[in-house]
Amino acid sequence: AQSVAQPEDQVNVAEGNPLTVKCTYSVSGNPYLFWYVQYPNRGLQFLLKYITGDNLVKGSYGFEAEFNKSQTSFHLKKPSALVSDSALYFCAVRPPGDYKLSFGAGTTVTVRA
Amino acid sequence: DADVTQTPRNRITKTGKRIMLECSQTKGHDRMYWYRQDPGLGLRLIYYSFDVKDINKGEISDGYSVSRQAQAKFSLSLESAIPNQTALYFCATSDSTGKKGSNQPQHFGDGTRLSIL
């Protein structure tokens, strides 16, 4: 069975500093990996995905994520955080040949001005 | 995502009542999903449907049922609500057709906040 871990419940950074949200996964085979963001009173919005190919994936709002197969990680990064990036972030994994997503517990990001 | 509409947005009800949450989409996607979100647990899949005639249980289907009335509509029912079903419920859709196939992300509605007293 697949699983996703987001080891940090909360991440706090100052505006303009780099932002990293960590994600590790456990799945057989080569996974499909996703990042979503949730703003208050809204549903999840897709940020980016890794399917195959280049390990560095670029997505919406200046976010990127690096797939590391040896460390089974898929960390989300942004070089310079904005106050508007404050939200709840979810990592999700889908094994090849399956169609169901497994979500991590989420990481609350707070960017202070 | 305004293309996935959930009604109602908020609902407070009593233990033992039957409740229906509705989801409709204008994205033309074939696949639809129901999740519940609880603090610290992320999202957990309740049911999913790959087309009108296809219904599948997710990891936490007990106490819930669904109906796929049309490609665009997927409703979730709680036959006899209990307090531990208090949660935020999300409907999502995805598209398995086309060149990119099943690698497409899911698109979420804005959720229904359900409180059971």
Side-chain angles (χ1 to χ4, degrees):
Chain A
Q2 67 269 24
S3 66
V4 180
Q6 293 181 241
E8 299 163 316
D9 292 336
Q10 293 197 4
V11 170
N12 299 303
V13 298
E15 189 172 35
N17 282 0
L19 170 63
T20 298
V21 187
K22 295 180 180 178
C23 172
T24 59
Y25 64 90
S26 174
V27 68
S28 300
N30 297 315
Y32 302 150
L33 295 156
F34 300 81
W35 275 102
Y36 288 84
V37 60
Q38 184 182 24
Y39 298 101
N41 299 314
R42 299 299 304 276
L44 279 67
Q45 297 179 29
F46 168 72
L47 279 178
L48 51 78
K49 66 180 178 182
Y50 173 82
I51 304 300
T52 187
D54 194 348
N55 290 343
L56 185 63
V57 179
K58 294 187 183 296
S60 306
Y61 312 122
F63 284 94
E64 58 188 28
E66 185 168 12
F67 172 65
N68 187 318
K69 187 172 183 178
S70 63
Q71 297 184 5
T72 61
S73 67
F74 189 55
H75 301 331
L76 181 70
K77 299 179 181 182
K78 186 170 184 179
S80 179
L82 302 172
V83 172
S84 57
D85 293 328
S86 298
L88 181 57
Y89 290 80
F90 289 100
C91 181
V93 65
R94 190 173 77 207
D98 198 348
Y99 302 100
K100 301 184 295 296
L101 282 176
S102 291
F103 286 87
T107 298
T108 299
V109 170
T110 302
V111 181
R112 60 186 183 277
Chain B
D1 193 325
D3 299 322
V4 183
T5 302
Q6 292 183 235
T7 55
R9 291 294 316 277
N10 293 280
R11 178 79 183 271
I12 300 173
T13 192
K14 295 181 179 179
T15 297
K17 294 290 188 181
R18 183 178 188 275
I19 301 159
M20 179 180 287
L21 309 183
E22 299 189 3
C23 177
S24 63
Q25 53 121 344
T26 59
K27 300 185 78 67
H29 289 173
D30 54 332
R31 297 179 174 177
M32 298 186 75
Y33 311 80
W34 275 105
Y35 293 90
R36 64 176 281 176
Q37 182 181 11
D38 299 277
L41 294 178
L43 276 73
R44 292 179 292 166
L45 182 64
I46 306 172
Y47 271 95
Y48 61 103
S49 169
F50 285 171
D51 64 39
V52 175
K53 297 181 181 179
D54 176 78
I55 300 291
N56 303 280
K57 292 183 177 180
E59 58 183 298
I60 54 163
S61 59
D62 287 349
Y64 302 94
S65 62
V66 291
S67 175
R68 184 83 183 265
Q69 301 96 322
Q71 187 184 34
K73 295 183 181 294
F74 192 37
S75 60
L76 176 70
S77 294
L78 287 68
E79 297 301 324
S80 180
I82 55 177
N84 74 2
Q85 292 176 312
T86 293
L88 188 54
Y89 289 84
F90 286 103
C91 175
T93 72
S94 69
D95 183 15
S96 72
T97 63
K99 291 177 63 175
K100 295 183 178 179
S102 61
N103 296 333
Q104 297 308 296
Q106 294 181 13
H107 297 260
F108 287 78
D110 285 337
T112 294
R113 187 170 298 280
L114 179 61
S115 297
I116 299 166
L117 306 177

